[in-house]
Amino acid sequence: MSGHFSNNRREFLKAAGKAGLAAGLSVTALPSLAGKYNNHQAGSGVTGEDIPYEQQPLPYGYAVLEPVIDAMTMEIHYSKHAAAYAKNLSDAVKAEGVDTSKQKLSALLAKISTYSAKMRNNAGGHYNHEFFWKSMRAASDSNMPAGSLQKSITRDFGSFDAFKTQFSDAGKNRFGSGWAWLVITNNKKLVVTSTPNQDNPLMDVSEVNGTPLLGLDVWEHAYYLKYQNRRPDYISNWWNVVNWAVVQRRFDKAT
Ligand code: MN3
């Protein structure tokens, strides 16, 4: 793929998407555009970790994240919500002729604008949840990053607390359903962003592109049973279950 062409095309699609939204249309309400650019070329220019197309076993039991995330929420979230994204993704890749033995999921996400809305919702939904499960472990107090990751967080946000505030605000202020993210951009800068619905920063439709290091699900289904409407409480408790060793490994791979 040609970088120059990719960038122009991405900017065009973003502009077209924004124009569509401004006119009260969704991006997917632009079939002529989708038809014209359905060659599955180009991309977001970022790479993410490989995640299989099929749902993987949860890396811990449903009750392991208690009391931060209750077992019932985990069971429904994993076995119903996330399982449905995986199933619908499997249907979408068949319907749209994706050879999953050749096409990595992270690379498909990078050119998601060339696929259907069903692909976008479910490829994102599946990827984001698999990524999310791996980002957590049993709760501990004073849970913090260390080493090179901590240094880079301090360099780019001022302090760990300043980063936490920015990330928490991204989650709290995401209207409706979506995700908060810590990403590393192609010029190796750490940035906090958020995405609507099941989008993520690997997608060429995302306002901010970068390799995800940490993501937080702020859909109501992720916290409502225990926290009801109190999304800020869910977010502040969630810091205790972040698996910083995994985030460090992602950071090492991207730098
Ligand atoms: Mn979810």
Side-chain angles (χ1 to χ4, degrees):
M1 62 179 87
S2 143
H4 184 67
F5 175 72
S6 306
N7 285 337
N8 284 343
R9 184 173 165 283
R10 183 166 78 251
E11 291 312 313
F12 174 64
L13 285 174
K14 273 189 185 169
K18 278 171 189 152
L21 289 168
L25 302 168
S26 73
V27 174
T28 53
L30 298 166
S32 58
L33 194 66
K36 193 167 179 185
Y37 291 97
N38 67 353
N39 55 0
H40 303 312
Q41 305 268 307
S44 69
V46 290
T47 51
E49 78 188 53
D50 292 331
I51 284 180
Y53 281 84
E54 302 77 28
Q55 190 176 37
Q56 304 299 300
L58 196 65
Y60 36 73
Y62 292 136
V64 163
L65 305 179
E66 295 256 16
V68 173
I69 302 177
D70 60 288
M72 173 77 79
T73 295
M74 282 304 294
E75 179 169 2
I76 296 171
H77 200 176
Y78 174 83
S79 71
K80 306 291 185 203
H81 294 280
Y85 292 121
K87 163 72 170 64
N88 292 333
L89 172 59
S90 156
D91 294 345
V93 295
K94 279 185 203 112
E96 297 178 42
V98 176
D99 182 348
T100 56
S101 68
K102 295 194 177 124
Q103 173 68 80
K104 284 185 172 165
L105 180 54
S106 61
L108 182 146
L109 292 171
K111 53 187 181 178
I112 200 69
S113 65
T114 64
Y115 294 92
S116 69
K118 178 173 178 171
M119 187 76 87
R120 176 172 169 177
N121 290 334
N122 293 289
H126 171 65
Y127 189 95
N128 293 349
H129 285 90
E130 292 285 313
F131 186 87
F132 183 53
W133 312 137
K134 290 199 279 180
S135 305
M136 299 185 287
R137 54 142 180 72
S140 71
D141 291 335
S142 57
N143 187 27
M144 280 188 69
S148 56
L149 176 59
Q150 185 185 33
K151 278 197 192 111
S152 291
I153 286 175
T154 303
R155 182 195 65 202
D156 291 341
F157 298 99
S159 67
F160 178 60
D161 282 344
F163 154 70
K164 268 174 75 172
T165 299
Q166 198 176 323
F167 186 102
S168 299
D169 286 348
K172 288 178 207 169
N173 297 333
R174 166 48 57 192
F175 183 77
S177 299
W179 293 74
W181 301 97
L182 170 65
V183 304
I184 185 161
T185 63
N186 275 348
N187 48 9
K188 308 301 176 198
K189 188 172 160 47
L190 296 177
V191 173
V192 163
T193 188
S194 84
T195 53
N197 305 313
Q198 294 297 354
D199 286 358
N200 72 37
L202 292 173
M203 292 181 174
D204 56 353
V205 294
S206 182
E207 264 179 55
V208 173
N209 287 128
T211 301
L213 302 179
L214 181 64
L216 171 61
D217 188 343
V218 296
W219 283 59
E220 280 190 347
H221 69 225
Y223 62 86
Y224 200 85
L225 291 181
K226 181 178 169 77
Y227 297 93
Q228 290 85 48
N229 59 318
R230 300 186 307 278
R231 187 192 286 183
D233 293 352
Y234 158 66
I235 294 174
S236 65
N237 287 347
W238 177 75
W239 291 108
N240 288 340
V241 295
V242 172
N243 190 334
W244 286 109
V246 167
V247 182
Q248 175 76 55
R249 281 203 290 279
R250 291 168 178 158
F251 175 80
D252 291 342
K253 215 170 166 193
T255 52

